[in-house]
Amino acid sequence: MRKWLATQTMNFTGQLGAGIRYFDLRISTKPRDPDNELYFAHGLFSAKVNEGLEEINAFLTDHHKEVVFLDFNHFYGMQKYHHEKLVQMLKDIYGNKMCPAIFAQEVSLKYLWEKDYQVLVFYHSPVALEVPFLWPGQMMPAPWANTTDPEKLIQFLQASIIERRKKGSFFISQVVLTPKASTVVKGVASGLRETITERALPAMMQWVRTQKPGESGINIVTADFVELGDFISTVIKLNYVFDEGEANT
């Protein structure tokens, strides 16, 4: 099942080096774990959380003007003390690199560089309300299409930008197809990458190329297997595309 549950092949260092700056993070405990360790998880347990966060920090220490978004959006088997452990871990590893939660409109690279901030942490739990450096999860909405059909996905992505994008928050466009149980059974030997992502890539990339950034456009774009095709370079190029009206304001 690993072929169906794994959504990336590169580790944090590899993704950062390739240009990725947003990470969708899902955290879990392990049953009957005497050490109460925290793990990244997506159906299966992955690396220990502290190791991954340290890996990201090493990159940031070597690249002082780079900024990352860490979006902790799913928690499994976590009690209050697990959240406290994770919050302390973030403090110990990132310290003053973390930008306190403010109005999203105030966040610019110029502002972050002036303050020496390099990390924005979004936390989809009430715990965020108690910790100044945790941004509430609602400030990073990520509508999910939950479809295997590329055409339906594109319709959903476009409608989401028009209908759900709210001023004052960040916004994620998930260019991601989700397999049904029947799809997994039919392609159990191949996996998510071969059966779905690679086949749908041309249509999904065509949609990405036609987008424009800004308050009325896309903001953050996520995908499975980000190294496929020219996904990363295409999204990066969008940073330099502006409507004439927006460029002149």
Side-chain angles (χ1 to χ4, degrees), residues 66-85:
E66 296 299 331
V67 177
V68 298
F69 295 77
L70 306 182
D71 188 7
F72 293 86
N73 54 58
H74 287 74
F75 301 99
Y76 305 103
M78 289 184 60
Q79 305 299 322
K80 182 180 179 182
Y81 63 90
H82 291 116
H83 285 285
E84 292 172 348
K85 178 175 182 174

Side-chain angles (χ1 to χ4, degrees), residues 80-93:
K80 182 180 179 182
Y81 63 90
H82 291 116
H83 285 285
E84 292 172 348
K85 178 175 182 174
L86 181 52
V87 168
Q88 188 60 50
M89 192 184 297
L90 289 163
K91 286 181 183 178
D92 293 342
I93 293 173

Side-chain angles (χ1 to χ4, degrees), residues 92-134:
D92 293 342
I93 293 173
Y94 298 117
N96 292 332
K97 287 188 177 84
M98 290 186 290
C99 176
I102 55 175
F103 292 108
Q105 297 97 319
E106 297 178 23
V107 180
S108 65
L109 280 175
K110 183 175 183 292
Y111 170 81
L112 296 170
W113 289 341
E114 287 175 350
K115 300 288 188 179
D116 291 326
Y117 294 143
Q118 291 183 272
V119 183
L120 281 75
V121 179
F122 296 82
Y123 209 85
H124 296 245
S125 162
V127 172
L129 303 176
E130 306 168 9
V131 183
F133 63 76
L134 295 181

